[in-house]
Amino acid sequence: MGKVVVVTSGKGGVGKTTSTAALGAALAQNKEKVVVVDFDVGLRNLDLVMGAERRVVYDLVNVIQGDAKLTQALIRDKRLDTLFLLPASQTRDKDNLTPEGVEWVISELKKHFDWVICDSPAGIERGATLAMRHADIAVVVTNPEVSSVRDSDRIIGLLDSKTIKAERGERMEKHLLLTRYDAARAERGDMLKVDDVLEILSIPLIGIIPESMDVLRASNVGAPVTLADAKSAPAMAYFDAARRLSGEDIPVSIPGEKRGIFAKIFGRAA
Ligand SMILES: Nc1ncnc2c1ncn2[C@@H]1O[C@H](COP(=O)(O)OP(=O)(O)OP(=O)(O)O)[C@@H](O)[C@H]1O
Ligand SMILES: [Mg+2]
């Protein structure tokens, strides 16, 4: 059975879709079988970031409503044959997602993929709670600023109460992915420091993705950044985050600093 990951945040525009595509591609580049699922019904974006917008025929809502088979809606990536996309609909209402339908789709995908990565819509309403409901693991995408951290804190509360795991009294595995980190702004005090964010949210850090034009360039050519420019700083950070998601224990380094976060906390060289 595959693992279900939700990429969530509360606040909009923090990098969920970018991260879903990059983590999904990074895992598939490592030969894992991956499907990325767009839960942002009405505002779909994942197909664009994956470069598959012209190949969308059927979507998640079609499958749930029985208008298409799951296999008809899945789009295989042109570059990586173990990477698939289940797109969202651009036109329909998010009320078209039913809890039973979502449960069925996720249970089917788990049978066929190593990883089912769900790109959550922003907010803390129905769409976000449906996206997280069946997750085994949550990646909480946060920018180093107060409003994003506050919304992530609310999402962590929902992960611990509104998911199947939480309802069964099981522990939900949660990881913090700090994105759009700008070393120069952090140095000037214009952004929260990594330690401050960690202290407020107190969930383990899975990676720090630097603010970078490489992310925009990748999205403009319709490729996850790990495929568009595998040697770029954000791509390397996403590769490391994907390895940590797979259970590898590798130190997190702060972009723009030579020493690792643990070195920073304990004040010694990494
Ligand atoms: N590390 C980064 N460096 C620079 N730009 C970034 C980075 N990560 C994301 N962005 C940009 O920020 C914008 C929002 O990213 P994205 O769409 O991934 O966020 P989101 O959380 O999915 O948004 P929404 O809540 O609307 O779904 C995009 O223009 C994206 O290219
Ligand atoms: Mg998004």
Side-chain angles (χ1 to χ4, degrees), residues 166-218:
E167 286 172 8
R168 286 192 189 136
E170 294 169 19
R171 197 184 68 87
M172 162 73 79
E173 187 181 326
K174 298 180 288 288
H175 300 279
L176 174 67
L177 183 64
L178 205 55
T179 55
R180 312 201 66 168
Y181 181 81
D182 184 329
R185 290 185 60 199
E187 195 53 46
R188 287 199 302 271
D190 296 344
M191 266 185 170
L192 290 179
K193 294 251 168 21
V194 177
D195 317 28
D196 296 335
V197 180
L198 285 175
E199 199 175 313
I200 299 167
L201 296 178
S202 60
I203 57 172
L205 186 62
I206 201 172
I208 306 175
I209 314 298
E211 171 78 18
S212 166
M213 284 298 291
D214 295 319
V215 172
L216 284 181
R217 273 194 285 270

Side-chain angles (χ1 to χ4, degrees), residues 8 26 30 48 78 83 86 89 107 130 141 176 203 209 241 244:
T8 187
N30 201 21
L48 277 174
K78 285 202 163 141
L83 179 61
L86 180 55
S89 136
S107 70
L130 272 176
V141 180
L176 174 67
I203 57 172
I209 314 298
R244 290 185 198 101

Side-chain angles (χ1 to χ4, degrees), residues 111-130:
K111 291 181 200 159
H112 302 286
F113 291 92
D114 301 318
W115 297 91
V116 180
I117 307 185
C118 305
D119 181 17
S120 175
I124 52 168
E125 310 300 328
R126 193 163 172 274
T129 51
L130 272 176

Side-chain angles (χ1 to χ4, degrees), residues 8-253:
T8 187
S9 70
K11 188 171 160 71
V14 294
K16 292 179 293 298
T17 301
T18 303
S19 300
T20 302
L23 291 173
L27 289 165
Q29 281 163 281
N30 201 21
K31 306 277 177 279
E32 305 267 331
K33 199 167 178 204
V34 181
V35 59
V36 290
V37 185
D38 194 346
F39 270 85
D40 208 346
V41 174
L43 286 172
R44 76 173 197 217
N45 248 333
L46 189 55
D47 56 325
L48 277 174
V49 176
M50 302 283 294
E53 73 277 13
R54 284 201 291 272
R55 299 171 62 208
V56 175
V57 182
Y58 296 112
D59 58 60
L60 177 61
V61 171
N62 289 135
V63 175
I64 285 178
Q65 293 185 330
D67 301 331
K69 289 187 187 148
L70 184 53
T71 46
Q72 290 177 297
L74 287 171
I75 302 172
R76 187 196 288 261
D77 190 87
K78 285 202 163 141
R79 300 146 296 207
L80 291 170
D81 60 6
T82 59
L83 179 61
F84 289 75
L85 163 71
L86 180 55
S89 136
Q90 208 161 25
T91 49
R92 291 159 206 268
D93 204 272
K94 55 183 180 306
D95 293 339
N96 289 112
L97 286 185
T98 61
E100 301 75 25
V102 170
E103 181 177 0
W104 181 82
V105 168
I106 298 285
S107 70
E108 283 302 303
L109 292 174
K110 271 171 80 166
K111 291 181 200 159
H112 302 286
F113 291 92
D114 301 318
W115 297 91
V116 180
I117 307 185
C118 305
D119 181 17
S120 175
I124 52 168
E125 310 300 328
R126 193 163 172 274
T129 51
L130 272 176
M132 70 171 63
R133 184 131 185 92
H134 301 278
D136 302 303
I137 304 172
V139 172
V140 179
V141 180
T142 307
N143 294 163
E145 43 139 314
V146 175
S147 63
S148 173
V149 173
R150 181 191 291 154
D151 288 2
S152 291
D153 197 37
R154 295 190 71 187
I155 277 292
I156 291 170
L158 292 182
L159 289 164
D160 288 333
S161 60
K162 299 268 185 194
T163 54
I164 302 273
K165 274 213 148 185
E167 286 172 8
R168 286 192 189 136
E170 294 169 19
R171 197 184 68 87
M172 162 73 79
E173 187 181 326
K174 298 180 288 288
H175 300 279
L176 174 67
L177 183 64
L178 205 55
T179 55
R180 312 201 66 168
Y181 181 81
D182 184 329
R185 290 185 60 199
E187 195 53 46
R188 287 199 302 271
D190 296 344
M191 266 185 170
L192 290 179
K193 294 251 168 21
V194 177
D195 317 28
D196 296 335
V197 180
L198 285 175
E199 199 175 313
I200 299 167
L201 296 178
S202 60
I203 57 172
L205 186 62
I206 201 172
I208 306 175
I209 314 298
E211 171 78 18
S212 166
M213 284 298 291
D214 295 319
V215 172
L216 284 181
R217 273 194 285 270
S219 105
N220 285 339
V221 298
V225 68
T226 54
L227 274 172
D229 189 355
K231 294 265 182 292
S232 66
M236 308 266 265
Y238 276 121
F239 281 125
D240 280 356
R243 287 170 61 189
R244 290 185 198 101
L245 197 59
S246 306
E248 277 188 58
D249 190 9
I250 39 177
V252 179
S253 57

